[in-house]
């Protein structure tokens, strides 16, 4: 009996923690399909008796959630992919290639990029973006997002690459591969688990970023979802059902992408262990 309780207690605690985490999202999800504010006020935490899907249509079309959604999606994905590409090449150079003390110096300089608060860099970034004449364009977000993500991404990928056995590269050299071939055909496939992990982190950071998107983009057609949601709140502050539908639009893609890539992590770990 005591052994059964000990085994079941962690599951009960985790289940309770899961309920606490999911409760706010369930509240928003149920509110998004209720008829009006009165329905939410009378039954704030209950399942709606009548499902009103028109709230999603109104939020998607009238509040321009569709425009903000696709802007955020392609900016977040593009910036995450490019940052991983650059950081993986840097990590390969400092961990798998022999450059003497330069490896340590370059990696230390990369670490310094994580010590500076992002808010402290806002004015310098604005000046650089202004001089490049890319204000009020998506490049004003994509370039800073890439630069901000490179230090963290390089550190994670470098730590993963150091754990790979050197015998793999020796065998590749015996087969006639040069450094670019080793990186593309050997290191990248084995580093997929780490790349997927940092992609999730970078994507979430880019997707939820607000300050740069708010100050660097003035054209309403170029704005991202976090900025658009603030305007949505101001415009529809009395319609909580449509506000909840907009929140679901902003949360659901992140949940879906995270769920898909979670399985990719497991697949990547298995493939890497076989190849190693």
């Amino acid at each position: 009996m005591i052994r059964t309780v000990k085994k079941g207690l962690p599951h009960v605690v985790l289940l309770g923690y899961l309920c606490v985490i999911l409760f706010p999202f369930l509240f928003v999800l149920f509110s998004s399909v209720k008829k009006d504010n009165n329905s939410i006020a009378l039954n704030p935490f209950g399942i709606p008796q009548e499902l009103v899907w028109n709230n999603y249509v109104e939020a998607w079309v009238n509040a321009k959630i569709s425009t903000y959604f696709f802007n955020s999606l392609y900016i977040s994905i593009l910036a995450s992919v490019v940052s991983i590409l650059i950081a993986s090449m840097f990590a390969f150079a400092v961990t798998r290639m022999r450059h003497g003390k330069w490896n340590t110096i370059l990696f230390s300089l990369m670490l310094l990029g994580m010590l500076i608060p992002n808010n402290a860099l806002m004015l310098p970034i604005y000046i650089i973006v202004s001089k490049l004449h890319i204000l009020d364009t998506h490049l004003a977000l994509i370039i800073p997002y890439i630069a901000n993500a490179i230090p963290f991404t390089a550190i994670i990928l470098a730590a993963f690459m150091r754990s790979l056995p050197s015998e793999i590269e020796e065998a590749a050299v015996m087969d006639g591969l040069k450094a670019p071939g080793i990186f593309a055909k050997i290191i990248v496939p084995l580093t997929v688990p780490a790349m997927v992990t940092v992609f999730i982190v970078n994507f979430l950071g880019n997707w939820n970023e607000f300050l740069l998107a708010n100050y660097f983009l003035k054209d309403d057609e170029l704005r991202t979802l976090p900025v658009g949601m603030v305007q949505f709140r101001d415009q529809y502050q009395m319609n909580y059902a449509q506000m909840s539908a907009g929140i679901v639009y902003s949360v659901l893609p992140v949940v879906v992408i995270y769920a898909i890539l979670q399985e990719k992590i497991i697949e990547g770990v298995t493939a890497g262990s076989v190849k190693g």
Side-chain angles (χ1 to χ4, degrees), residues 25-275:
F25 180 71
L26 292 177
F27 169 74
V28 172
L29 186 62
F30 292 155
S31 299
S32 67
V33 291
K34 291 181 179 179
K35 187 175 182 180
D36 49 27
N37 293 347
N38 189 41
S39 301
I40 298 176
L42 293 177
N43 189 19
F45 306 109
I47 299 176
Q49 297 179 351
E50 178 185 359
L51 301 180
V52 182
W53 300 106
N54 191 56
N55 292 329
Y56 287 92
V57 178
E58 293 292 331
W60 185 261
V61 178
N62 296 341
K64 301 171 84 171
I65 293 296
S66 58
T67 301
Y68 306 141
F69 177 89
F70 288 113
N71 287 342
S72 289
L73 187 64
Y74 104 82
I75 289 174
S76 301
I77 292 178
L78 179 60
S80 300
V81 171
V82 174
S83 63
I84 290 175
L85 178 62
I86 297 174
S88 62
M89 291 188 291
F90 174 83
F92 174 74
V94 299
T95 58
R96 314 301 294 191
M97 303 178 71
R98 297 181 179 87
H99 296 294
K101 294 183 179 179
W102 280 107
N103 287 357
T104 304
I105 295 174
L106 292 175
F107 194 74
S108 300
L109 291 175
M110 183 65 67
L111 288 175
L112 292 177
M114 299 187 63
L115 301 180
I116 305 175
N118 292 334
N119 294 339
L121 296 174
M122 190 162 184
L123 181 58
I125 292 175
Y126 180 86
I127 295 174
I128 294 174
V129 169
S130 179
K131 289 184 177 181
L132 292 174
H133 303 290
I134 57 175
L135 274 177
D136 207 24
T137 68
H138 284 156
L139 284 177
L141 298 184
I142 294 174
I143 294 176
Y145 287 175
I146 293 172
N148 181 63
I150 285 177
F152 169 79
T153 306
I155 290 172
I156 299 299
L157 295 181
F160 193 91
M161 289 181 185
R162 286 194 182 98
S163 65
L164 299 177
S166 59
E167 290 79 7
I168 299 177
E169 292 172 87
E170 294 173 0
V173 171
M174 294 295 294
D175 290 338
L177 287 178
K178 302 295 183 181
I182 294 174
F183 172 75
K185 297 181 179 181
I186 305 297
I187 300 300
V188 169
L190 294 178
T191 318
V192 166
M195 288 184 176
V196 171
T197 301
V198 294
F199 175 84
I200 293 174
V201 175
N202 293 342
F203 178 86
L204 292 179
N206 298 336
W207 180 269
N208 296 321
E209 199 280 325
F210 175 80
L211 285 178
L212 297 183
N214 186 46
Y215 288 109
F216 290 1
L217 299 179
K218 300 302 180 184
D219 189 349
D220 190 55
E221 296 296 327
L222 299 176
R223 285 176 172 167
T224 58
L225 194 56
V227 180
M229 286 302 301
V230 173
Q231 293 183 336
F232 183 91
R233 180 198 61 191
D234 295 338
Q235 185 177 1
Y236 295 89
Q237 57 183 343
M238 298 305 295
N239 194 329
Y240 296 109
Q242 290 189 15
M243 282 181 57
S244 299
I247 294 173
V248 172
Y249 277 127
S250 66
V251 173
L252 192 58
V254 177
V255 175
V256 171
I257 290 177
Y258 186 81
I260 293 174
L261 293 183
Q262 276 281 46
E263 294 190 6
K264 295 297 181 181
I265 292 176
I266 299 176
E267 293 176 5
V269 170
T270 305
S273 63
V274 172
K275 292 179 181 178

